[in-house]
Every structure is written in structure tokens, then in C-alpha cells.
Amino acid sequence: MLKSKTFLKKTRAGGVMKIVREHYLRDDIGCGAPGCAACDGAHEGPVLEPQPLDPASSLCPQPHYLLPDTNVLLHQIDVLEDPAIRNVIVLQTVLQEVRNRSAPVYKRIRDVTNNQEKHFYTFTNEHHRETYVEQEQGENANDRNDRAIRVAAKWYNEHLKKMSAENHLQVIFITNDKKNKEKAIEEGIPAFTCEEYVKSLTANPELIDRLACLSEEGNEIESGRIIFSEHLPLSKLQQGIKSGTYLQGTFRASRENYLEATVWVHGDPEEDKEIILQGLKNLNRAVHEDIVAIELLPKNQWVAPSSVVLHDEGQNEDDVEKEEERERILKTAINEKMLKPTGRVVGIIKRNWRPYCGMLSKSDIKESRRHLFTPADRRIPRIRIETRQASALEGRRIIVAIDGWPRNSRYPNGHFVKNLGDVGDKETETEVLLLEHDVPHQPFSQAVLSFLPKMPWSITEKDMKNREDLRHLCVCSVDPPGCTDIDDALHYRELESGNVEVGVHIADVSHFIRPGNALDQESARRGTTVYLCEKRIDMVPELLSSNLCSLRCNVDRLAFSCIWEMNHNAEILKVRFTKSAINSKASLTYAEAQMRIDSAAMNDDITTSLRGLNKLAKILKERRIEKGALTLSSPEVRFHMDSETHDPIDLQTKELRETNSMVEEFMLLANISVAKKIHEEFSEHALLRKHPAPPPSNYEILVKAAKSKNLEIKTDTAKSLADSLDRADSRTFPYVNTLLRILATRCMMQAVYFCSGMDNDFHHYGLASPIYTHFTSPIRRYADIIVHRLLAVAIGADCTYPELTDKHKLADLCKNLNFRHKMAQYAQRASVAFHTQLFFKSKGIVSEEAYILFVRKNAIVVLIPKYGLEGTVFFEEKDKPKPRLIYDDEIPSLKIEDTVFHIFDKVKVKIMLDSSNLQHQKIRMSLVEPQIPGISISADNPNMDIDEPERKKKKREK
């Protein structure tokens, strides 16, 4: 049966176009209930259970299926995902609406419908002859969809009666829309709100905690005093943004001060400006990463960024007077120059809420169900939730979702989602840091794994098409110890002409991951492999990362090779790129390769090759530094783990050898050679990597720090910076050069991926290269897979596909890759921080030498070279007399009583683990030397209370 609609549309050119839309209706669409004679097995995929054995409902004791409307699916997805909820009919109407309104919820509901154990059935009601409804005159789309859902629910109940009169199978309509529910009951459809139904499941009381709290703002107002001003409707906000009355931007909350935030105004990159917001009322219920509309305040109300650290730790939920007092502290006497454009939030354009990890702060009121949840991320406000299991959740990491933020509430309302495990437990904390940094880490799905090659795998004749056989070459790889995902290998050989041939061979991952399939999509979503202290979250499944793509020794592997002909002065005479097959003759660690190079007794082919490569690498490095490439420093640490408990037993800074540098030089050269080739071939859509030059203001701290030690640092070009860093030496203080390089690293901008057709600045500042890309690590970086595909098309070794030459799609991909790389970096740092805490927990209290990296108004930031550890020594503590502090921003220096601290001064500090805040355990440092009465502590007596919670508990018990 065919329904068709015809309408006329005016074209841009002024003509009229007739559009005919055809809608096919069928009567062979199954209802999803097995054993239904009328449908005769017309359904495919996951189906409903013939006899639903769901938890008994006191409202509906007989067997039943559930049919939720769109809003239930959108807001109560946490309830629907619970294992207790099964046998749900998801209508096409509902699914389409969810898809238009929330991509994340749509993905989650698709995952649930694909889970066979959940028995969720998708019913195509829009194409079923008996359930399709047409929009009536004067009826809006929303009302039409509501009617379509009711029609489908009624049809289901009548249809199931025919199937089994004795079974009394029912379909229950779940809706939170009051009018829709009333209409359904009038039409004889059993209907309940989500809350009514969940509360009727007496065997599953924990489900009530997962209900999203959706009380309408209007009803909330009567119950308390209004704290916040009303958010303007979207239509007014859009008008205001258009007219310039309001500005649109991304809300970024402060980690250090919960009463302060900045908004990055959207617009031209040149005009990117930052507006500061201060005070609860001006923040007006915006949450970190929301897209907001703000109104600029008049100049006489502008403020300066506060240097006060304020964390929201009050137990009294709605003590607004106290907040106002704290806001006054922020507005201390300030220099006119420091004032910044200041604004207030007038409305929310898009909420970017996600599930948050954290801990429950149990209410002091006995039997209370309302508690505050404190997120692990200090930028997120505390969330009020209702739960009956508060005692069981104390001291555990949990996940909570925000439901809304009424005008009369100091905190947003939310609901409990999941219990992750005990605080401090290694597995739990790893899960938290992966969730908080949005690192996709679920096991690869069957759909993804289905695209892996079948084992046993070997190179076939088909694989060798457009590929050179280089298995005869003496190829070897050099990697860190324990590396199983070997991306790269090298070869070196003398040519008859007297020149040398050097090859970089990179795993040919793009041979196994074909464009557009589920494996490719998942790799693109993950973007990068994430290396934690004891765990690796792979970008591609292990069969590829540690086996088929890994260039292990003595096995045939597919590669993408970049081969140069050079003279002995490392000048490139020719370069060629080819897909290849190789067989690595050795997989060495950096230490093993170094030992071979240094050992006079070893003269085999591999060792000779390594010596040749090392000699060329030194020349390449020298030439690169001559051009102005920077050699910066960052203290990287390595943990030595106990083989049984897997706890860190030692912490050392990583040692770098010549061989590290050797491999790095050839990888850089390969990346630059490939960047030139793909840009030559695809000037508009090459995926490149750039490193912008830092603005001069970034270097102020570096220049001042050097000056305080009578050294001069020039920053007008990368070359002058590199040269002045080389000259910055002190016989009496040899470590100063390393400290300057560490500080210079902090001044740098972030390197980013970009599409060549969307940008005209390609320069890589740190490498002093006019063009650069990533080609050498496709097992662990998705950017390299795209570069491989571009290069393969450029040399005719593979065919192209539409997305590869679409610069807008490539720009979107780069945006995701940049985000994933940044998050992976943060997750790695968080993992190092957690393992450092574990190390000092077992090590106890230690005193070590440290150097000052920064001076603050009330603290010094120090670096402990032995552990590569950074920490802050605070000089103002609660309940202790305040010392006399004088901060000089110009030098910079901090005078405490009669002692002056400058950057790079040597001090001695005591390091210990502070567990007073279970959620934010941290390494705490105190000054031992120089001795300042009332500030320094002796090396023997820590005099620190690190079990603060115990004391508070006892006080309360009294």
C-alpha cells in the first residue's frame, strides 16, 4: 500500500519544484512476540520473550511488555539499561525523535536493542498498515507523534489478545506526560508514569535511585527562596546574539575556585576572547563545558581573575549568605590593568552534561534520603541526589547524572547511576580516571571484531600486489622494554655507488583496517592508544596491535616503507615510498641496541647497521638543532612494580640513551618526507600536524627565572631560544639548564592535527620544520592511518574513497583526534599521579632535595629531580597563624618572614600522602630547609595531621 504527499517548493532561482513523497505501508511487519500466529515469524533480530518473567509489579501483576514514549527514553535511559528491565517495545516514531534530539542516548538505546538478553524489540510502526497515522489539520508534529504512539500501544494490546486470550499478555504504556497518560487511559490503554511503574517493582528497590529527577521548575519555586535569575528562552538568546546584545561561548569552570569561571567567546580565532564570570548569581547554573549566552557587565563592574583558592566544602546545602561573604573576598583591591571583561550567564544554549564520577557526602540528618554527591572533577558543582543506599555507598566511587537545576536550589538535582567500587582500589581508580577523561575503554564489540582477519594468517599472493618484497633486508626494531605493539623498524645498507640506503618500515595497519567498516569507525572514535602505568587501552584489537601488525622479529609482516638514498653526510639524494613485506631480524630494546653499538667485540650485520644509523642520526640531529629545533625536557618517571601485588616499589626518572635519539631522528625524517609527499599530491586535504609559536607573553616567566640566576634567554625566534638555552649554564649550579628546559616546555603551545585546505600556517615550531605529519605509529594513532591511506593513493598502491578527499570531514576528524590526544595525555598524568600516591603510601614519609619551579602568592611549586615529582608547598594553613608574606611579581619572588625564595632555589622538602580528603588524596609537601620558625618542620617530626576525617568523626560522635 502506498501513501503519497505532493507539495510545491520554491527554488533559489525563483522556479517552482514539485516534490512527491511516497510512504510505503506493509502488513508483514512482525510484532516481536514469539509464537504469534498472525505475524508468523516476520520479525528479525532480538525479539521479546514469549512469557515475560520480569520483576513482579504491584500495579500490573500479569505478564506484560513495556512501551515507553520519547521522553522516557531520553530521560530515563539509566533505568532502561538496568538488567531488571527487559521486554521493551521501542517504536520507530520514538527512535526517530530520540535520534534527532540526543545522539548519545540514541547510541545507548541502539546498544540495548542489540543486546539479546534484554529482549528490546524495535517495531516499525510508521510503515505498518494498522499503526501508521497521518498528521491531521491543525495538529502539530509533537501531538501527531503522541497519537501515533498511543495508536501503536492500543494495536499491540488488541493484537496480543488474539494471540493468547488465556495468557492475558498486556502492553503497558510508560509516559511522564500528564495529558498523554490521561488520553491513553481514556482510550483503554494501561498507562503509568515511569516513577509509578519503577516504584511498583517491589523486588528491585535500587531502581528508584536511578530515576531521573524531573520535577518541573515551576512547581519547585513555591518551595524555597529564588537564588538564580531565570534563563531566557532560546529564541530570545538567538535574537540577542544576532544583535550583539549577548555573546555565545563555552563555559569553563575553574578547578581552583568554584565561584569563578571563564567563557571562551565563539567567533573568529583572532577574536577569541575570554570573559570572566564571578559569583554564584553570575554563573547562573551553568556547568563546565555548557554552551552559554552571556551579557557583558558595565565596565565599573569588571573584576580581575582571583588568585584565591576556594573549594566548595560546606556541609550546609543552601547557605547562600556564606557564599556572598566568600564572593566579597574575591573582590580584593586590585590593579586597574588586571581588570578583565566580566559578564553573567543569561541563558543556556546547549547543556553538555555527562555522567560524573565521585563520592557521596552523606547527610548528617538521620534517615535522610537526600544527600550531596561530590564529583571527582573540581570544576563540576556538587549534585543533590535521593538514594536509599547511602550507607552502602559511603567510601565508594559512584557515577551520578544531572537531571536539572531549579532556580531555588543551590545545587543541581541528579540521580544515582552506578557503583564503581571502593575508593583507593586500583581497578576502581583506573576506571574513574578513564571515565573522567572520556577514554573509550569498553571491550571491542563483536561487530568490530568480525572485521579482523581469520587465523592462522599469512601473506598471500593477493597481498603482494602493488607491494615490494623486502624480506631479504637486514631490518631490526628498537623499542622500550616490554613493548608488544612494534610500529616501526629500520634498515641500513651500503650501496655500490658509495652511498647508503636507509629505510624506515612502518606497520601497514591500513591494509587490515578498511575505510568505513565498524573496525575503522571504532579506531577513529578512540583516536589513540592510551598508556597508563599498568594498563594499555588499545586503539585497535589486540590481534592487530600485538600480533599481525606488530613488526616482531623472525615473522613476515606487511609494512609501508620510506626509503632514502643518502650520502655519508646524511644528505638525501632520493626518496621513495612503497608498500612492502619485511621480516625483522631482531627486536631490540634501547639498552640492547646501545650495548651492541658500544661493544667492540660485536660486528654482525645488525650491529654494523645500528652503528651506521647512529652515525647518520647524530648528523641529522645536529643539522636540525642548527635550524632552530628545540631540545626541551620534561621529567618522565618510570615505576618498578612488585611482581605479585603490582604495587609500585620504586620510582625513577627515565634514562635516555643515544639509541632513543637515533630512532627518533629517523622517525622525524620519515614524518617530514611523507608530509611533503601527501601535501604535493593533495594540497587541499592532507592531514598535517602543526605546532604554533607561543605568544611572547608565555615566555615572561622563563626570562624572569633565568634573569634571577644572571642568565639571559632570548625568545624572538625558536633558533635564538635554542641557542640561548644551550648557553645558559652555570658551573656552580649544573642542574639549572635542565630546569630552564623544563620551564621552557611549560611555555609551549599544544601541537595539533589540521587539514591543509583549512589552514595556511603549517609550521612546526618545536621541530623548526615548515611541514610535518604523523606517519610512524599507525598501531597507536588513527591520524597515521589516514596519512597511510593518503600516501597509498599518492603512490598508486591503494584506491581512494569520498571521505578521504572531503576537507570538512577531515577537519572534523582532526578535531576529535586533538581532543582524544589531549584526554589521553591527561589520563596518563592522572595514572602517574595515582601510582605516585600508592608509592608514597607504602614508602611513608621521606625528605628530599627539590628546586623551586614557580613562586605563588602563598606557596612555592617545587620539582624533586629524584622522583621527577612536582608539588606545592603552602605557607598558609587553616587554624594556624598566618606568616608575613610579601610577593613580588616582577622578580618573581616570595618573602616569608625574613627568607626570600626565587625560582630555581634549592630547598629540602618532606613528602607524604595526605588522605584527609578521601576523594582527592594528594601528595603533600612541607618545607624542611631553609629553616623558618613556625613554617619549617624538622626532618624527624612531621607534625602533620593526615587522618583528618577520623578526628572529625570523633567530634561528631561526642
Side-chain angles (χ1 to χ4, degrees):
M1 182 179 164
L2 181 70
K3 296 251 177 193
S4 67
K5 271 186 193 170
T6 307
F7 54 94
L8 302 174
K9 187 181 172 186
K10 203 171 182 183
T11 64
R12 274 186 180 175
V16 174
M17 187 163 61
K18 184 179 182 182
I19 294 176
V20 179
R21 281 205 183 137
E22 294 180 338
H23 191 92
Y24 292 88
L25 299 179
R26 297 162 53 171
D27 42 24
D28 59 348
I29 296 170
C31 67
C36 172
C39 296
D40 198 25
H43 20 255
E44 291 173 14
V47 290
L48 303 159
E49 285 179 298
Q51 275 302 304
L53 300 169
D54 283 344
S57 161
S58 55
L59 287 174
C60 183
Q62 65 262 49
H64 55 270
Y65 301 133
L66 300 178
L67 192 151
D69 74 356
T70 309
N71 281 325
V72 169
L73 227 64
L74 277 169
H75 301 298
Q76 306 292 356
I77 181 74
D78 289 319
V79 172
L80 296 171
E81 282 178 333
D82 193 279
I85 302 291
R86 308 208 315 268
N87 295 296
V88 175
I89 298 159
V90 182
L91 298 180
Q92 180 190 3
T93 310
V94 170
L95 208 52
Q96 280 170 345
E97 276 197 283
V98 169
R99 187 179 192 171
N100 292 335
R101 285 168 62 183
S102 171
V105 174
Y106 178 73
K107 186 186 181 303
R108 285 168 73 180
I109 206 70
R110 294 301 308 180
D111 290 344
V112 175
T113 50
N114 290 332
N115 180 351
Q116 306 273 357
E117 291 168 14
K118 290 280 284 172
H119 299 285
F120 272 49
Y121 180 66
T122 310
F123 177 61
T124 323
N125 64 310
E126 295 289 356
H127 290 278
H128 193 289
R129 190 197 296 263
E130 293 177 48
T131 58
Y132 172 72
V133 299
E134 287 201 48
Q135 195 166 344
E136 291 170 357
Q137 210 167 353
E139 184 179 45
N140 66 31
N142 210 19
D143 291 343
R144 180 258 166 215
N145 287 347
D146 285 348
R147 189 161 56 86
I149 296 167
R150 292 197 304 276
V151 166
K154 192 168 186 179
W155 174 83
Y156 252 107
N157 276 313
E158 286 166 5
H159 180 79
L160 292 176
K161 266 182 201 160
K162 292 176 200 166
M163 181 182 120
S164 58
E166 68 281 356
N167 269 352
H168 304 300
L169 256 177
Q170 262 191 328
V171 167
I172 294 178
F173 178 40
I174 305 289
T175 178
N176 288 332
D177 182 328
K178 208 172 169 186
K179 285 180 186 165
N180 207 5
K181 185 188 164 192
E182 283 167 8
K183 283 181 184 172
I185 292 167
E186 273 170 31
E187 292 167 21
I189 304 163
F192 302 108
T193 66
C194 193
E195 193 171 339
E196 286 168 345
Y197 181 74
V198 166
K199 284 182 174 173
S200 78
L201 303 176
T202 46
N204 296 81
E206 75 285 349
L207 261 181
I208 299 170
D209 287 355
R210 301 188 76 166
L211 275 170
C213 156
L214 293 170
S215 45
E216 288 166 25
E217 259 188 50
N219 307 343
E220 287 268 353
I221 297 304
E222 299 154 21
S223 65
R225 129 186 196 197
I226 295 170
I227 303 169
F228 300 102
S229 54
E230 202 169 346
H231 286 152
L232 298 179
L234 200 56
S235 55
K236 276 195 178 169
L237 295 178
Q238 284 165 338
Q239 277 173 359
I241 290 163
K242 215 171 181 180
S243 67
T245 316
Y246 306 137
L247 298 168
Q248 176 178 328
T250 306
F251 182 89
R252 303 252 167 92
S254 161
R255 262 196 185 88
E256 300 302 323
N257 184 344
Y258 73 101
L259 293 173
E260 188 168 283
T262 51
V263 170
W264 283 87
V265 177
H266 299 170
D268 301 331
E270 284 75 41
E271 284 181 34
D272 254 4
K273 55 179 171 180
E274 206 182 31
I275 309 295
I276 195 165
L277 313 177
Q278 249 181 31
L280 271 187
K281 293 188 167 97
N282 290 339
L283 300 180
N284 197 3
R285 298 172 286 156
V287 176
H288 184 63
E289 291 294 344
D290 282 351
I291 307 295
V292 296
I294 56 168
E295 176 182 51
L296 272 180
L297 296 175
K299 273 202 172 178
N300 62 355
Q301 290 178 37
W302 284 13
V303 297
S306 158
S307 55
V308 182
V309 176
L310 274 184
H311 292 148
D312 181 12
E313 283 159 3
Q315 195 57 43
N316 187 352
E317 296 183 10
D318 293 310
D319 195 350
V320 182
E321 279 80 8
K322 204 167 185 184
E323 306 296 357
E324 286 166 2
E325 189 187 311
R326 285 183 146 198
E327 284 170 28
R328 281 194 288 277
I329 298 171
L330 303 184
K331 297 177 174 65
T332 47
I334 27 171
N335 190 330
E336 282 287 308
K337 280 188 226 162
M338 308 211 20
L339 294 178
K340 289 241 175 116
T342 307
R344 67 182 188 97
V345 171
V346 291
I348 308 289
I349 290 161
K350 183 173 180 271
R351 287 288 194 192
N352 274 326
W353 295 339
R354 59 179 174 85
Y356 300 105
C357 300
M359 287 178 72
L360 199 66
S361 308
K362 200 174 162 214
S363 171
D364 288 345
I365 304 162
K366 265 192 173 180
E367 307 300 317
S368 172
R369 286 182 183 174
R370 299 181 81 181
H371 307 274
L372 279 178
F373 161 83
T374 308
D377 186 341
R378 289 195 188 272
R379 294 169 300 189
I380 307 300
R382 294 158 92 188
I383 301 162
R384 187 184 282 117
I385 66 166
E386 286 199 27
T387 176
R388 287 154 179 73
Q389 27 178 349
S391 301
L393 297 177
E394 250 196 312
R396 297 177 78 81
R397 292 277 194 186
I398 62 173
I399 296 180
V400 161
I402 298 181
D403 301 323
W405 196 338
R407 288 174 59 197
N408 65 329
S409 171
R410 166 69 183 81
Y411 297 110
N413 292 328
H415 65 274
F416 166 77
V417 176
K418 190 181 178 186
N419 181 350
L420 293 172
D422 289 329
V423 171
D425 173 71
K426 210 180 294 180
E427 288 298 310
T428 305
E429 295 300 335
T430 302
E431 179 74 6
V432 168
L433 76 87
L434 291 171
L435 288 166
E436 280 299 293
H437 294 97
D438 198 6
V439 175
H441 60 285
Q442 295 72 22
F444 289 98
S445 68
Q446 273 315 115
V448 168
L449 299 174
S450 67
F451 286 97
L452 292 174
K454 303 286 171 276
M455 296 300 284
W457 176 87
S458 61
I459 297 175
T460 63
E461 210 173 300
K462 189 184 169 193
D463 294 333
M464 290 306 293
K465 195 183 169 199
N466 296 328
R467 203 177 277 280
E468 269 185 60
D469 193 339
L470 303 178
R471 284 176 279 198
H472 60 285
L473 292 177
C474 181
V475 172
C476 70
S477 64
V478 186
D479 290 282
C483 176
T484 59
D485 50 346
I486 303 170
D487 285 291
D488 52 85
L490 297 155
H491 91 264
Y492 169 99
R493 62 173 178 172
E494 302 273 348
L495 297 174
E496 286 173 9
S497 62
N499 293 326
V500 294
E501 180 183 87
V502 175
V504 163
H505 309 277
I506 305 298
D508 188 5
V509 182
S510 62
H511 173 83
F512 297 97
I513 299 181
R514 302 309 295 163
N517 68 24
L519 175 56
D520 182 47
Q521 286 169 1
E522 182 60 19
S523 307
R525 186 173 81 91
R526 292 183 177 220
T528 178
T529 292
V530 180
Y531 295 91
L532 305 180
C533 290
E534 270 192 284
K535 196 175 186 175
R536 190 179 83 198
I537 314 294
D538 280 328
M539 180 184 82
V540 299
E542 197 179 5
L543 179 67
L544 296 182
S545 66
S546 295
N547 188 349
L548 302 185
C549 291
S550 184
L551 305 181
R552 306 190 303 193
C553 60
N554 303 319
V555 285
D556 291 350
R557 287 289 177 259
L558 300 178
F560 210 145
S561 302
C562 172
I563 300 166
W564 303 276
E565 186 179 328
M566 296 180 176
N567 60 23
H568 286 277
N569 200 23
E571 285 159 347
I572 298 167
L573 308 171
K574 273 185 214 160
V575 61
R576 67 189 179 90
F577 307 96
T578 177
K579 289 226 172 190
S580 60
I582 64 164
N583 186 308
S584 172
K585 303 299 181 273
S587 297
L588 307 171
T589 64
Y590 291 120
E592 286 166 351
Q594 192 66 54
M595 193 187 71
R596 279 176 178 259
I597 291 169
D598 297 341
S599 168
M602 299 188 82
N603 288 303
D604 55 281
D605 288 353
I606 292 167
T607 308
T608 313
S609 296
L610 288 170
R611 285 187 189 129
L613 288 166
N614 197 32
K615 194 175 157 195
L616 291 172
K618 284 178 181 174
I619 302 168
L620 288 168
K621 185 172 185 175
E622 203 177 305
R623 200 172 291 150
R624 215 164 43 76
I625 288 168
E626 193 55 42
K627 280 186 191 164
L630 298 171
T631 314
L632 299 177
S633 178
S634 62
E636 280 194 73
V637 293
R638 186 184 187 86
F639 292 95
H640 294 274
M641 300 294 182
D642 184 296
S643 55
E644 285 177 24
T645 63
H646 293 282
D647 284 339
I649 48 174
D650 198 7
L651 180 60
Q652 291 176 338
T653 45
K654 286 184 186 172
E655 192 186 334
L656 294 179
R657 296 180 169 83
E658 256 184 24
T659 42
N660 291 70
S661 180
M662 175 188 85
V663 173
E664 186 189 0
E665 284 310 316
F666 288 109
M667 296 308 124
L668 293 175
L669 192 61
N671 286 335
I672 292 166
S673 300
V674 170
K676 286 176 183 167
K677 178 71 179 172
I678 60 172
H679 184 247
E680 248 169 55
E681 213 59 42
F682 306 103
S683 59
E684 285 292 293
H685 40 257
L687 190 153
L688 302 174
R689 188 165 175 82
K690 68 170 179 175
H691 182 214
S697 59
N698 278 29
Y699 285 129
E700 274 178 21
I701 188 74
L702 178 68
V703 175
K704 283 178 183 176
K707 198 175 172 185
S708 72
K709 293 287 174 250
N710 299 318
L711 297 169
E712 188 187 17
I713 295 288
K714 291 186 174 170
T715 60
D716 38 345
T717 64
K719 173 86 177 114
S720 59
L721 174 64
D723 290 346
S724 56
L725 279 170
D726 287 342
R727 285 194 300 270
D729 251 333
S730 163
R731 283 184 189 166
T732 55
F733 184 15
Y735 196 64
V736 74
N737 193 268
T738 308
L739 288 169
L740 281 167
R741 290 180 195 277
I742 288 170
L743 212 50
T745 309
R746 308 290 166 90
C747 303
M748 293 300 145
M749 306 289 283
Q750 189 80 34
V752 290
Y753 296 112
F754 69 102
C755 169
S756 59
M758 306 290 272
D759 209 322
N760 40 27
D761 172 26
F762 293 6
H763 192 74
H764 196 293
Y765 179 79
L767 297 171
S769 175
I771 191 165
Y772 192 66
T773 192
H774 272 164
F775 163 75
T776 54
S777 295
I779 296 177
R780 59 187 178 89
R781 288 190 307 233
Y782 189 77
D784 303 52
I785 293 179
I786 296 293
V787 170
H788 276 227
R789 287 174 183 167
L790 288 164
L791 185 60
V793 175
I795 63 167
D798 207 343
C799 48
T800 185
Y801 59 99
E803 282 82 1
L804 195 64
T805 52
D806 180 333
K807 65 181 183 182
H808 296 285
K809 289 225 169 105
L810 206 57
D812 287 343
L813 178 71
C814 287
K815 197 175 168 187
N816 178 54
L817 294 179
N818 290 330
F819 170 72
R820 292 289 178 213
H821 276 262
K822 188 168 72 178
M823 286 298 131
Q825 240 176 351
Y826 291 163
Q828 284 155 9
R829 283 180 205 163
S831 178
V832 168
F834 174 62
H835 279 77
T836 306
Q837 287 170 15
L838 287 181
F839 172 70
F840 283 106
K841 192 175 185 176
S842 59
K843 183 110 175 141
I845 301 166
V846 295
S847 295
E848 289 295 343
E849 281 185 350
Y851 293 99
I852 298 176
L853 275 185
F854 304 101
V855 290
R856 302 275 185 244
K857 285 186 179 174
N858 61 347
I860 54 172
V861 179
V862 299
L863 173 78
I864 297 158
K866 181 176 176 181
Y867 299 125
L869 179 67
E870 206 176 297
T872 307
V873 179
F874 287 101
F875 296 119
E876 286 181 339
E877 288 193 49
K878 272 185 200 167
D879 313 323
K880 284 193 180 177
K882 285 193 177 179
R884 197 171 74 248
L885 300 176
I886 302 166
Y887 174 70
D888 184 340
D889 187 35
E890 281 308 302
I891 301 176
S893 69
L894 178 65
K895 188 177 182 183
I896 303 162
E897 302 298 343
D898 298 318
T899 309
V900 182
F901 290 101
H902 296 94
I903 293 184
F904 299 161
D905 281 359
K906 192 176 183 179
V907 293
K908 193 170 189 181
V909 296
K910 178 158 287 201
I911 314 159
M912 64 191 303
L913 181 67
D914 177 0
S915 306
S916 59
N917 181 336
L918 264 184
Q919 165 126 284
H920 295 111
Q921 293 192 34
K922 56 181 183 281
I923 300 295
R924 189 158 155 194
M925 296 189 183
S926 314
L927 191 68
V928 175
E929 287 172 16
Q931 294 238 328
I932 305 171
I935 300 286
S936 304
I937 57 167
S938 75
D940 314 314
N941 172 28
N943 189 26
M944 283 193 197
D945 185 2
I946 52 167
D947 296 314
E948 192 72 22
E950 289 303 313
R951 205 177 65 194
K952 279 186 186 163
K953 234 182 256 174
K954 282 184 183 132
K955 214 183 246 181
R956 214 175 283 155
E957 282 162 14
K958 280 177 195 170

